[in-house]
Amino acid sequence: MKKATAEILREYGPFPGVKTVAGVTFDGDKVWFASGDKINALDPATGATTRSIDVAAHAGTAFDGKHLYQIAEDRIQKIEPETGKVIASIPAPGNGGDSGLAWAEGSLWVGQHRARKIHQIDPETGKVLRTIESKRIVTGVTWVDGELWHGTWEGDESDLRRVDPRSGEVLQTLDMPAGTGVSGLESDGKGCFFCGGGNSGKVRAVRRPGYKPDKG
């Protein structure tokens, strides 16, 4: 297993009126982060929040290329980002014990924090298609270039870890600084992870190891 210290590239926030940051996702332009009763759009270039959607937003957030998905207690809501309208809702597999949320390969991937699991679910029905066992509490979840990463946060210790999507074996870890929690996790598809910072009210950008830009 590869171990390294996470390199924090930038911190965003704290933001006005935001006490905690839960799930995060990226739509190719803006970072969206959940803050309890809103989903907020963050411009990663300027650090400014540009708009918000009034919707229950307690844990993970995901984007499928068109719609946002947001964990709200024991449900996952599908949201039109342009209007803020909730257009569908499915049960979350953890029945309220859910944490991270990601979109990949036509499925939603849902972290269950205390159960230490990641579920692949049908985005239309919520049916669990596959379950991956983790060795640590699961917070945020993201897929990038065929790699499955998730955040952990136990006590004062937090890290990002790449796991084998078949066995759950830990392949690589990035240790966050002491006291720096990871609530949500999303990749920008390139060389950066965006991490929710929980009660710090911040979003942090962390360098993704091994990324080599296409010089094309």
Side-chain angles (χ1 to χ4, degrees):
M1 179 182 72
K2 298 179 181 178
K3 287 182 65 70
T5 299
E7 180 184 350
I8 297 176
L9 302 173
R10 184 170 177 178
E11 289 193 344
Y12 302 95
F15 307 96
V18 172
K19 294 182 179 179
T20 185
V21 173
V24 293
T25 194
F26 184 63
D27 67 5
D29 178 40
K30 298 176 292 297
V31 177
W32 293 85
F33 66 90
S35 62
D37 58 358
K38 296 178 188 295
I39 309 175
N40 310 272
L42 166 68
D43 183 335
T46 66
T49 49
T50 57
R51 60 176 292 225
S52 62
I53 297 172
D54 291 326
V55 66
H58 304 123
T61 313
F63 181 69
D64 69 359
K66 185 176 181 181
H67 297 99
L68 293 165
Y69 292 83
Q70 178 61 55
I71 295 175
E73 296 182 344
D74 60 352
R75 308 288 298 178
I76 299 173
Q77 302 197 113
K78 185 177 183 179
I79 301 160
E80 286 184 340
E82 297 82 9
T83 65
K85 182 180 179 182
V86 176
I87 60 172
S89 176
I90 58 173
N95 194 34
D98 308 276
S99 51
L101 190 63
W103 175 271
E105 301 172 349
S107 297
L108 287 169
W109 301 76
V110 188
Q112 257 190 285
H113 52 105
R114 298 196 185 282
R116 304 179 183 224
K117 296 176 180 178
I118 300 170
H119 300 290
Q120 178 188 5
I121 69 169
D122 185 315
E124 299 296 324
T125 65
K127 179 183 177 181
V128 174
L129 306 175
R130 179 157 61 115
T131 298
I132 301 165
E133 301 281 346
S134 173
K135 295 177 175 62
R136 291 286 298 273
I137 283 177
V138 176
T139 57
V141 180
T142 190
W143 278 90
V144 56
D145 293 340
E147 297 178 351
L148 176 60
W149 289 78
H150 75 81
T152 73
W153 188 356
E154 297 190 36
D156 201 40
E157 297 182 354
S158 191
D159 63 35
L160 308 180
R161 49 185 56 199
R162 178 167 63 92
V163 299
D164 186 306
R166 294 169 297 278
S167 67
E169 177 188 357
V170 180
L171 304 175
Q172 186 172 6
T173 63
L174 301 177
D175 292 329
M176 297 290 282
T180 305
V182 175
S183 49
L185 179 65
E186 179 67 293
S187 166
D188 69 350
K190 299 178 182 178
C192 173
F193 290 118
F194 293 109
C195 304
N199 292 335
S200 71
K202 296 182 178 182
V203 174
R204 297 180 176 95
V206 173
R207 186 181 301 280
R208 176 187 159 206
Y211 172 71
K212 295 180 180 179
D214 183 359
K215 298 179 180 179

